[in-house]
Amino acid sequence: MDRADPDAVIEPDLPEEPEVELGVDTAVMEHDTAPSSPADTAQRTPAERAFDLFDAGKLGEAGLLAAVGVSRDGYVPSETITHRALDAVELGRLSEAGLVQLLG
């Protein structure tokens, strides 16, 4: 008489699920690592994208000023740029000199 091995574990065939680290918010992780789609970037101005990079710490103040175009002839800040610049000063990320350049 054949007896089953008592140490053998029988598992039903289940679909494999990705392992998730406990304590990690996967929605935040996906947002941080996913590149923006062309549709996302088409809806924002280059200045808004520059501020997004600046806020994320991926662009410094000099890069922000260059990307926004403060040195171009005819530069006029939009209301959005003005608000975002003031927010950046309030958070201590943008200097007063940078603010003055952004406000024209």
Side-chain angles (χ1 to χ4, degrees), residues 34-84:
S36 47
S37 71
D40 291 341
T41 58
Q43 294 176 353
R44 294 187 326 233
T45 66
E48 290 171 325
R49 291 186 62 205
F51 266 102
D52 291 344
L53 292 169
F54 179 72
D55 291 342
K58 297 179 179 180
L59 188 65
E61 186 171 307
L64 172 68
L65 297 173
V68 170
V70 297
S71 62
R72 284 188 246 147
D73 288 338
Y75 168 76
V76 177
S78 68
E79 191 170 322
T80 301
I81 289 175
T82 301
H83 282 289
R84 292 199 68 180

Side-chain angles (χ1 to χ4, degrees), residues 21-43:
E21 290 183 44
L22 296 177
V24 175
D25 186 353
T26 56
V28 170
M29 186 172 65
E30 288 171 7
H31 176 70
D32 289 344
T33 59
S36 47
S37 71
D40 291 341
T41 58
Q43 294 176 353

